[in-house]
Structures are given as C-alpha cells and as structure tokens.
C-alpha cells in the first residue's frame, strides 16, 4: 500500500517542486518564499459569483450579514488548511486522494461531478468577464465570451516563465480589486459603528426568510469545490524535502499562513462589497439590483455620488469585475487540469485540456445568448444556475477531503486532530443541508 502511494503521478508535474524556498533566513523571508498558492485560492472566494449576493445582502439588509461573511471565511480557512496538509503530507492532490479511496465506477462518478463543477465555475468567470467587456468597451456578450478563449493561450504563455509569474499576476489583479473597493467604500462613507455592529450575530438572519436566503447564498458562493482540488496541488510547487517529516511540517506551517493571509484579503473584499451595497443602496430600490448591469447603472446614477463620481465608480466597478473574472479564469483552468490528471491519470497537452474546459463553459453561454438575444437578465440567470450546481457538487469534494486527512496511514503525524474532525464534519453536514435548502429556494425564486 505504501508503495502505491509513492508511485502515483506527480500533481501538476510542470510546476511540482519548481519554486525554491528560503530555509535559513528570517521568519519574514521564509514566509515570503511560501506566499503565492494562497493567492490563487483566494481568487475563488471573491469571484463574480460572490459579488451579487454580497452587494444584494448589503442593499437589502444593511450590515447584519457581515457576520455571515466572517463565519464562512473562518470555515474556508479551516477547509483550505486541510487541503494544504493533504498535499504536502501525502504528495497527492484531492483528486488523486479521492481516486485512492474509491472503486473505479464510483471514482468515475466523482470525476464527472468534479468536471461539471469546473465547468460551472468557468461559466461564472466567462459571464463576469464578458459583461465587464460589454460595460467598459461596448463589446457584445457573444464576442466577449469568445474573447475569453484567448485567456487559455495567455496562461500557457505566462506559465513558460515559471509559476511565480502566475502568482505575481494574480496578486496584482487581486490588489487592483482591493484598491478599487477600498476607494469606492471610502467615497460611499459608511458609518463605522454600524459596520462594526454587523459582525455581531443578529437574530434577524434566522427569523427573516429573505435575509436567511441571502445568507445561504453568501455561504454557498464562498466555499467552492475547485479550490479544494487546486490548493492541494499547487502547495506542492515549493521545493521542500519530500522525505523529511521536519521539512514537511515546516512547509505545512508556512503554506497554512499563506492561505490564511490571502483568505483574509478575500474576506476584506467580500466585506467591502457588502458595505458598498449597504452604504449606497440600503432601503432604496433594492429590487432593481438583480445583476451586474443593474449594479453598474445604479452606481452610475446614484444621487449621493453625483454624475461625475457616479461615472467613475461604475467604471471602476466594471474594471474590478474584469480583473476578478480574469483571475478566476487562471485558477479554473489549472483546477481542470488537476481534476483530469488526478482522476484519470490522463496526460494530454495543457493547451488542449484548457481549451476543451473553456469551450465547454462557453457553449452554454453562447446557446443562451443566441436563444435569449440581448436579454441581459436571462444571461445572468445562467450564473445563478452555475452557483446552484456548485452547491450540489461541494459535498463530493468535502467528504473525500475529510476522510483522506483523517487517515493515519496516509497522513501519519499530520492526521486531523480531534477538534478539526469535529468542526469539519459539522461544516460538511451544515453546508450540505444549507445548500439543499438554498437550491430549493433558488428554484422557487426562478419559477
């Protein structure tokens, strides 16, 4: 059995064990050499799928749902730390670990669900990018969706210069989004005391069905399956000693710090989105903020801001949306490669794998654009359906993660501690139940 573990293919072999680390420098120097994979993971926690729920939550209920963002972010930190330990301790990514546990027919089912989850994730990013291109440059949605195919080849080109370059680009785009929303929230001038009170639990979240629905949407859009596969693989990009327990413990420590730091940035951005929605739109025409176009025009025509500042705010919103979509594109295509190689041990050219993934995501969008013509609301509804499927797929990633990280034979001394097991199983059960409720309520809303 041990030999089987050692003989499995490397995850993302082209980047595995390629980034040097500082083992002798100061704490800050060591941490800096590990910073990077967490950036790619944090992208999934602030992608276009999160934007609508966060801003709608603020517009409809003020600041009370900030507590939900805090709770879901802490949950994400725990789950991502488990993927870090899995990748470094075993040398397997989550796809490989899932295949290790399951027989061939069941493994095939889990692979199909994982692939569909990747496609659903990609759909949200393509829609976000295409809408941003339309808002900024007037490019039709169909053309914008086709343009996103070029992202695949851009990613391949950048990868030739090393994985650190990918991390740097993603970090720059995240910083762009962060700065834009800090500026927009500063202009919106929310009341600080009201913002801080939003992190205190409120019974209205439970007693108000509409608030509960938005809260579940925030939770459901936060923890996404592709991030679990992605993180367990890309943490193996660092050059730690694969045969030394001490080196692995060192790598887990710093990789977990990286994860928590970057997820904290994602937490701040999601809070800024909600605060912006609350500061500008709370109690005013909240039923007209259904999608990206509505939010863009609402910012543009916000009386508090004035015409010139409204134009600046709406343009910056579209730029941030484009940056977020492009960031998520990079991580989505990488996650797709990890899933295919991990479940099938199938090696095909990277350009072909990423092109197929992107085309499968674009086809439903093209179909909807052709059928619904220029009906923006119908196109954005496809994004809602993609988030619903991701909610369905999540347990198929979480349960194998829990089982693998609690397996002493696989993990050795890095096996889950009792408190981690307790909290993670509670999260799996609660998230699964909440996602089922969210799915049912979403279909009620759409019908």
């Amino acid at each position: 059995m041990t030999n089987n573990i050692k003989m499995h293919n490397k995850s993302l072999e082209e980047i595995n064990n390629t980034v040097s680390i500082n083992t002798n420098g100061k704490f800050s120097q060591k941490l800096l050499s590990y910073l990077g994979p967490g950036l790619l993971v944090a992208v999934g926690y602030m992608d276009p799928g999160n934007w609508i729920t966060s801003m709608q939550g603020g517009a409809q209920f003020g600041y009370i749902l900030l507590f939900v963002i805090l709770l879901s972010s802490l949950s994400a930190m725990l789950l991502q730390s488990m993927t870090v330990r899995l990748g470094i301790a075993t040398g397997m990514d989550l796809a490989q670990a899932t295949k290790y546990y399951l027989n061939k027919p069941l493994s095939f089912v889990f692979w199909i669900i994982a692939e569909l989850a990747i496609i659903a994730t990609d759909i949200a990013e393509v829609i976000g990018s295409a809408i941003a291109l339309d808002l900024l440059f007037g490019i039709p949605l169909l053309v914008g969706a086709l343009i996103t195919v070029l992202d695949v080849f851009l990613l391949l080109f950048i990868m030739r210069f090393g994985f650190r370059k990918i991390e740097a680009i993603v970090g720059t785009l995240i910083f762009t989004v962060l700065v834009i929303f800090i500026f927009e929230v500063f202009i919106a001038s929310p009341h600080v005391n009201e913002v801080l009170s939003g992190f205190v639990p409120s019974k209205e979240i439970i007693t108000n069905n509409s608030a509960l629905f938005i809260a579940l949407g925030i939770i459901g859009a936060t923890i996404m399956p592709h991030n679990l596969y992605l993180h367990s693989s890309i943490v193996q990009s660092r050059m730690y000693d694969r045969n030394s327990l001490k080196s692995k413990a060192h790598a887990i420590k710093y990789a977990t710090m990286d994860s928590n730091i970057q997820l904290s940035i994602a937490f701040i951005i999601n809070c800024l989105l909600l605060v912006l929605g609350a500061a500008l739109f709370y109690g005013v025409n909240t039923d007209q903020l259904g999608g990206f176009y509505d939010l863009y025009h609402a910012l543009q025509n916000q009386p508090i801001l004035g015409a010139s500042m409204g134009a600046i705010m709406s343009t910056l919103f579209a730029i941030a949306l484009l940056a977020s979509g492009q960031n998520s594109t990079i991580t989505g295509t990488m996650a797709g490669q990890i899933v295919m190689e991990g479940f099938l041990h199938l090696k095909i050219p990277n350009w072909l794998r990423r092109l197929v993934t992107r085309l499968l995501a674009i086809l439903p969008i093209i179909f909807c654009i052709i059928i619904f013509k220029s009906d923006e609301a119908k196109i954005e509804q496809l994004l809602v359906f993609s988030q619903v499927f991701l909610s369905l797929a999540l347990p198929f990633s979480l349960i194998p993660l829990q089982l693998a990280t609690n397996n002493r034979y696989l993990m050795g001394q890095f096996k889950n501690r009792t408190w981690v097991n307790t909290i993670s199983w509670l999260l799996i059960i609660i998230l699964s139940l909440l996602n089922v409720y969210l799915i049912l309520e979403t279909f009620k809303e759409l019908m």
Side-chain angles (χ1 to χ4, degrees), residues 19-37 164 238-240 246-247 249-258 261:
V19 179
S20 61
I21 56 175
N22 190 327
T23 57
N24 300 314
K26 298 177 182 178
F27 169 81
S28 58
Q29 293 172 322
K30 293 178 183 178
L31 179 59
L32 187 62
S33 64
Y34 277 95
L35 290 180
R164 269 297 203 186
R238 271 41 186 181
M239 292 178 166
Y240 54 86
K246 182 179 179 181
S247 180
H250 184 275
I252 289 171
K253 172 185 173 182
Y254 284 98
T256 302
M257 287 182 189
D258 167 46
I261 290 170

Side-chain angles (χ1 to χ4, degrees), residues 330-386:
I330 292 172
T331 59
T333 50
M334 291 180 69
Q337 183 181 345
I338 292 163
V339 164
M340 175 170 279
E341 291 180 0
F343 276 103
L344 303 184
H345 301 308
L346 182 62
K347 295 282 187 180
I348 63 175
N350 290 342
W351 67 268
L352 180 59
R353 173 68 187 90
R354 288 166 183 160
L355 183 61
V356 169
T357 302
R358 177 47 55 87
L359 289 176
L360 288 174
I362 286 177
L363 287 176
I365 298 170
I366 292 175
F367 177 77
C368 287
I369 291 172
I370 292 172
I371 295 296
F372 300 120
K373 307 298 182 185
S374 58
D375 191 336
E376 299 158 355
K378 293 289 186 183
I379 305 302
E380 289 183 331
Q381 214 171 70
L382 184 60
L383 189 147
V384 175
F385 282 118
S386 73

Side-chain angles (χ1 to χ4, degrees), residues 312-334:
I312 292 171
M313 294 275 276
S314 59
T315 301
L316 288 175
F317 174 84
I319 292 171
L321 178 61
L322 182 60
S324 177
Q326 293 308 292
N327 246 348
S328 301
T329 290
I330 292 172
T331 59
T333 50
M334 291 180 69

Side-chain angles (χ1 to χ4, degrees), residues 172-183:
T172 302
L173 291 173
I174 288 176
F175 182 73
T176 301
V177 175
L178 178 63
V179 169
I180 286 173
F181 283 118
I182 287 175
F183 172 75

Side-chain angles (χ1 to χ4, degrees), residues 98 102 105-115 229 343 396 400:
T98 304
L102 304 177
L106 199 55
S107 175
F108 181 78
V109 172
F110 273 63
W111 169 65
I112 292 295
I113 293 170
E115 288 286 357
Y229 295 106
F343 276 103
F396 291 88

